[in-house]
Amino acid sequence: LHDALPILFKILLTGDGAVGKTAIRNSYMGEGFSGSYMKTIGADFASHSVELAGNKVTFQIFDLAGQDAYRVARKSFYKGGQASFLIFDLQDANTLHNLKNWVEDSIKNSEGSIGTFVALGNKADLVDTRQVSNDMAIEFFQRLSAETGITFVFLETSALSGLNIELAFNLMGMRLLGKHNIKVDVDLPEGVSLITPSSAIATPATSESMTSVPNVDLSGITAKIDSVLEKISDLDGRVETLEKRFGKLAQIVRQLLADKN
């Protein structure tokens, strides 16, 4: 094992600003948690080596700035990447929905080399202000998987407490080893969801068509239809009476014309 060459994986931490990307990286590197927020400029880089399933793995971790102002600047950092952590804040549903854009950026800017994604719902320690439930997040990734054909691994993390931080990187490493034809047996622990296109739920368009039909009181509509039909029937009767009267009037006119001639 010690003579084996290390396997190098370039992974990116992606997601909106202030979701905790840098804090997650620092926690994984054993650098501790900082309560103050420092905006990442462009991208930051770190390297960390671990042993996974008998293999020496080195992660090159690129922490990308999440603000839109750095969108152009961070494009070049995707190149050569193999995987992305999709990180959102469990206190802000917008950061979850925006992950669709981060998936698109990862694939486009890496020219397709990034194909492995692990999603992290961060700040799980902030229970009282939480806005995104586990079920809501899973449903989002099911829809995204159905749209893109991508398989996602999803779990919740806390950079403050260290919850699932090491597990997240280990799962990422195991997935990447599997992509490199290195056989690894992975048993997903409780709280980790594997979301594949085959297990995905209906697409948003289909879902809307099924759920957007309101409950309607059909009895009221039926009564209105019956009333209209009655009026039409009454109108038919009146038309028939008028036709008979016009017929008699036509006969009288023809008789008058004949007598005049």
Side-chain angles (χ1 to χ4, degrees):
L1 173 65
H2 297 288
D3 296 331
L5 292 175
I7 302 170
L8 184 65
F9 294 135
K10 179 180 178 178
I11 60 177
L12 293 94
L13 305 181
T14 65
D16 291 356
V19 296
K21 298 187 296 293
T22 301
I24 286 174
R25 188 201 67 186
N26 290 344
S27 177
Y28 181 61
M29 301 286 293
E31 297 176 5
F33 179 83
S34 173
S36 59
Y37 171 60
M38 293 290 291
K39 182 169 62 177
T40 302
I41 307 300
D44 200 359
F45 166 79
S47 180
H48 189 67
S49 297
V50 295
E51 183 180 320
L52 292 176
N55 300 277
K56 186 177 180 181
V57 173
T58 297
F59 291 118
Q60 285 186 337
I61 307 168
F62 284 77
D63 175 11
L64 301 191
Q67 289 76 12
D68 286 340
Y70 301 107
R71 187 166 189 174
V72 175
R74 65 180 177 242
K75 279 186 176 181
S76 60
F77 294 102
Y78 287 95
K79 293 183 179 179
Q82 294 157 288
S84 284
F85 278 109
L86 304 169
I87 302 170
F88 69 97
D89 184 352
L90 290 167
Q91 323 306 308
D92 185 352
N94 289 329
T95 64
L96 170 64
H97 298 146
N98 290 340
L99 289 182
K100 181 177 180 180
N101 298 327
W102 286 98
V103 170
E104 293 173 353
D105 284 354
S106 294
I107 296 172
K108 178 181 178 181
N109 294 325
S110 71
E111 298 179 349
S113 66
I114 294 177
T116 301
F117 296 90
V118 174
L120 307 179
N122 195 38
K123 305 183 185 181
D125 54 282
L126 301 178
V127 178
D128 294 338
T129 55
R130 179 173 179 145
Q131 298 295 320
V132 181
S133 69
N134 192 268
D135 288 343
M136 288 169 60
I138 290 174
E139 182 178 349
F140 170 82
F141 289 111
Q142 284 177 326
R143 297 188 188 284
L144 190 57
S145 181
E147 291 178 16
T148 62
I150 295 172
T151 294
F152 298 96
V153 171
F154 166 65
L155 63 158
E156 296 182 4
T157 58
S158 169
L160 174 61
S161 68
L163 173 69
N164 289 339
I165 298 296
E166 184 176 1
L167 173 61
F169 280 85
N170 287 346
L171 288 172
M172 177 67 86
M174 295 291 193
R175 292 201 68 203
L176 288 171
L177 286 172
K179 289 285 184 73
H180 285 72
N181 297 319
I182 299 175
K183 186 176 181 181
V184 178
D185 294 325
V186 181
D187 292 325
L188 296 180
E190 185 177 354
V192 178
S193 299
L194 179 66
I195 302 166
T196 65
S198 61
S199 67
I201 60 177
T203 62
T206 303
S207 179
E208 288 177 7
S209 66
M210 293 175 63
T211 60
S212 61
V213 179
N215 293 325
V216 179
D217 184 2
L218 295 179
S219 61
I221 295 177
T222 302
K224 291 181 180 179
I225 292 174
D226 289 341
S227 176
V228 171
L229 290 175
E230 287 178 2
K231 291 179 180 179
I232 292 174
S233 178
D234 184 49
L235 181 60
D236 287 341
R238 293 181 182 182
V239 170
E240 185 178 355
T241 301
L242 288 172
E243 287 178 344
K244 290 179 179 179
R245 291 180 178 178
F246 278 120
K248 291 180 179 180
L249 181 59
Q251 289 178 358
I252 294 171
V253 171
R254 284 196 295 270
Q255 185 62 47
L256 290 173
L257 290 174
D259 292 343
K260 185 176 181 182
N261 293 330

